[in-house]
Amino acid sequence: MKKILVTTDFSSNSKAGIRFAIQLASQAPCELIFYYVKASLAVDAWSQIDYNDANNSENKLLKDKLNKFINTIYKSTKKQAGKIDCVIESKIYIDAAIIAYAQKCKADYICMSTRGGGTMSKFLGTNASALITNSPVPLVVVPHTYRIKPLKSILYASDMEKIGSELKFVEKFAVAFDANVAIYHYDYFMEQEEVKSKLNKIADKYRSDKILFYFRKFYAEQTLLSHLQVDIRRSKPSIIAMFTKQNRHWFDRLFVSSKTAEFGFDTKTPLLVFRK
């Protein structure tokens, strides 16, 4: 891990993502780029020159403000800043701007805070939801209640369909922090010997001192999210890892289902999302 793009809007909620990134960099030294997107409107060609002059002047002031904002947070964490940079951009579409800059600077991860708690839509907010759906750069979503603590364990929720290719990405993240990976899978047919045998064969192939597998019976009267919540509360992981796109239906069952609103999502644990 060489570089993390950390987004902020100067709000109190956004400090959580910054604190999490600072903690990551203290465990696995890397460059942190603190990034603010100022929403701008399209302007016509006649007013473009005046707009650019005013925009450049405002961006300089915002960069000074961002530097002070970040320095204040560093002081509160009592951690020394390593290689850092502060970037201000004016763009019309914030989520697209974040993705574009992350690709431009070759960030390994994007780190951002959530805006609140409760249901998943409230937990994520518009920008995080858009990034989860569209960003090719892995995204770390940090709850606004996060307080600094060492990253030691990862709970990786998997459908087991492409465990070989997915696990490589999770391992790459885990190795940087010498973290343990606990892989959880929930299956309707766990009681069938054929299913158990198949899952155990896969586990035997990838299991190690740092990688453990947990297979659970899936009960139809409960949501996938409610099953996962039980294990999150029991194991208290430092971060939860998931994949989208390879099996969007599985991810939809977890987060997009209307049942999610009834249960709510754990808002204490950061979420690492890979889009494949």
Side-chain angles (χ1 to χ4, degrees):
M1 182 166 58
K2 297 179 179 179
K3 194 177 297 182
I4 301 175
L5 183 68
V6 190
T7 69
T8 181
D9 59 2
F10 295 109
S11 68
S12 294
N13 282 350
S14 73
K15 291 179 181 179
I18 295 169
R19 287 194 296 265
F20 188 78
I22 289 172
Q23 176 60 39
L24 294 185
S26 73
Q27 289 185 244
C30 60
E31 181 180 359
L32 298 181
I33 300 175
F34 300 101
Y35 180 73
Y36 172 72
V37 185
K38 182 185 69 177
S40 63
L41 299 174
V43 294
D44 58 55
W46 297 104
S47 58
Q48 187 68 53
I49 294 176
D50 289 339
Y51 172 80
N52 286 344
D53 289 341
N55 190 50
N56 290 337
S57 178
E58 185 179 359
N59 282 359
K60 287 178 182 178
L61 292 174
L62 284 171
K63 188 166 184 176
D64 288 340
K65 179 181 177 181
L66 181 55
N67 274 300
K68 290 176 183 176
F69 185 68
I70 298 302
N71 286 332
T72 299
I73 297 173
Y74 262 104
K75 286 179 182 178
S76 71
T77 65
K78 298 180 180 179
K79 294 185 182 293
Q80 293 295 317
K83 187 176 181 182
I84 68 170
D85 193 13
C86 291
V87 176
I88 303 290
E89 286 196 318
S90 300
K91 299 290 181 180
I92 297 174
Y93 302 107
I94 293 176
D95 54 309
I98 293 170
I99 293 171
Y101 195 83
Q103 292 179 306
K104 178 182 176 181
C105 73
K106 297 181 179 178
D108 297 289
Y109 301 93
I110 298 169
C111 183
M112 69 187 305
S113 299
T114 61
R115 67 180 188 183
T119 62
M120 196 60 184
S121 59
K122 185 180 178 185
F123 172 62
L124 288 176
T126 304
N127 289 328
S129 295
L131 288 171
I132 282 177
T133 302
N134 300 311
S135 177
V137 180
L139 177 68
V140 179
V141 184
V142 184
H144 75 292
T145 55
Y146 172 80
R147 293 295 179 267
I148 276 191
K149 56 185 176 181
L151 192 151
K152 296 180 179 179
S153 60
I154 301 171
L155 188 156
Y156 164 30
S158 175
D159 59 12
M160 299 297 289
E161 289 190 3
K162 297 190 177 180
I163 185 69
S165 57
E166 291 182 357
L167 186 54
K168 291 177 183 177
F169 291 93
V170 179
E171 273 191 289
K172 184 179 178 181
F173 183 86
V175 166
F177 308 99
D178 193 31
N180 296 317
V181 179
I183 301 168
Y184 283 81
H185 174 71
Y186 305 88
D187 202 296
Y188 286 110
F189 306 107
M190 270 306 298
E191 295 166 350
Q192 295 182 11
E193 286 301 321
E194 184 181 348
V195 171
K196 279 201 279 190
S197 177
K198 180 182 177 182
L199 290 173
N200 285 328
K201 253 184 205 179
I202 295 172
D204 289 342
K205 183 177 180 180
Y206 297 105
R207 189 184 287 115
S208 71
D209 291 342
K210 289 287 186 180
I211 300 173
L212 297 175
F213 286 81
Y214 298 90
F215 300 129
R216 305 282 198 244
K217 168 73 176 175
F218 188 100
Y219 294 96
E221 66 273 14
Q222 299 177 33
T223 64
L224 180 56
L225 180 58
S226 64
H227 284 76
L228 181 58
Q229 284 280 46
V230 170
D231 288 311
I232 291 172
R233 288 169 182 156
R234 181 185 293 130
S235 62
K236 295 181 173 59
S238 303
I239 192 167
I240 303 162
M242 293 179 180
F243 285 76
T244 64
K245 218 62 177 177
Q246 284 191 342
N247 189 337
R248 183 56 192 260
H249 176 65
W250 188 82
F251 194 82
D252 285 348
R253 283 168 56 203
L254 190 59
F255 290 125
V256 184
S257 167
S258 60
K259 292 183 180 179
T260 301
E262 298 170 13
F263 190 83
F265 182 69
D266 171 270
T267 56
K268 298 177 183 178
T269 310
L271 180 67
L272 170 61
V273 182
F274 297 92
R275 178 178 178 265
K276 295 297 294 173

